[in-house]
């Protein structure tokens, strides 16, 4: 099941702990070109895998993926720090979310299709 503690941009706890420079850097990392839908079946390697608005843990959390979720990979990007991230869709019995997850937390290392 996907646990969905949504964290929106401008949430007080996030804003209070960030500096202007960090916010700008995170904003750039979280802005991605459009992704293409290249359907590839996948899954998470553990429970509580972060799904983010962009390919960085500095981006806002959309949801937490679980081992039992149905996961479809779309495509991947290489972030500025050299890590790879996959855009995906994850669903359980009640909801569907889309976002980015680190390839290190995905079965088979994530998508094989570049965005």
């Amino acid at each position: 099941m996907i646990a969905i503690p949504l964290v929106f941009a401008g949430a007080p706890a996030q804003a209070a702990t960030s500096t202007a420079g960090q916010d700008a850097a995170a904003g750039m990392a979280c802005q991605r070109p459009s992704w293409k839908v290249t359907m590839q079946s996948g899954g998470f390697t553990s429970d509580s895998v972060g799904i983010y608005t962009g390919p960085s843990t500095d981006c806002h959390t959309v949801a937490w993926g679980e081992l039992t979720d149905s996961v479809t990979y779309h495509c991947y990007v290489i972030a500025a720090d050299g890590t790879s991230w996959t855009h995906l869709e994850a669903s359980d019995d009640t909801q569907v979310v889309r976002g980015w997850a680190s390839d290190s937390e995905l079965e088979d290392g994530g998508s094989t299709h570049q965005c």
Side-chain angles (χ1 to χ4, degrees):
M1 178 185 302
I2 299 173
I4 274 222
L6 293 177
V7 180
F8 295 99
Q14 191 120 1
T17 60
S18 299
T19 66
Q22 289 171 324
D23 287 346
M28 292 304 292
C30 297
Q31 294 178 3
R32 297 302 314 157
S34 61
W35 47 270
K36 56 187 172 186
V37 177
T38 309
M39 302 299 211
Q40 180 182 344
S41 210
F44 300 114
T45 58
S46 64
D47 284 331
S48 300
V49 171
I51 303 171
Y52 300 91
T53 57
S56 170
T57 56
D58 290 333
C59 300
H60 296 290
T61 305
V62 175
W64 299 99
E66 303 292 335
L67 283 168
T68 57
D69 293 341
S70 174
V71 181
T72 302
Y73 302 151
H74 297 147
C75 61
Y76 77 91
V77 296
I78 304 297
D81 65 2
T83 58
S84 66
W85 290 75
T86 290
H87 190 272
L88 54 78
E89 180 176 286
S91 61
D92 62 12
D93 294 336
T94 61
Q95 57 195 343
V96 175
V97 296
R98 289 186 179 146
W100 295 88
S102 173
D103 286 349
S104 65
E105 297 190 272
L106 300 175
E107 291 179 353
D108 303 323
S111 176
T112 57
H113 304 282
Q114 192 168 14
C115 294

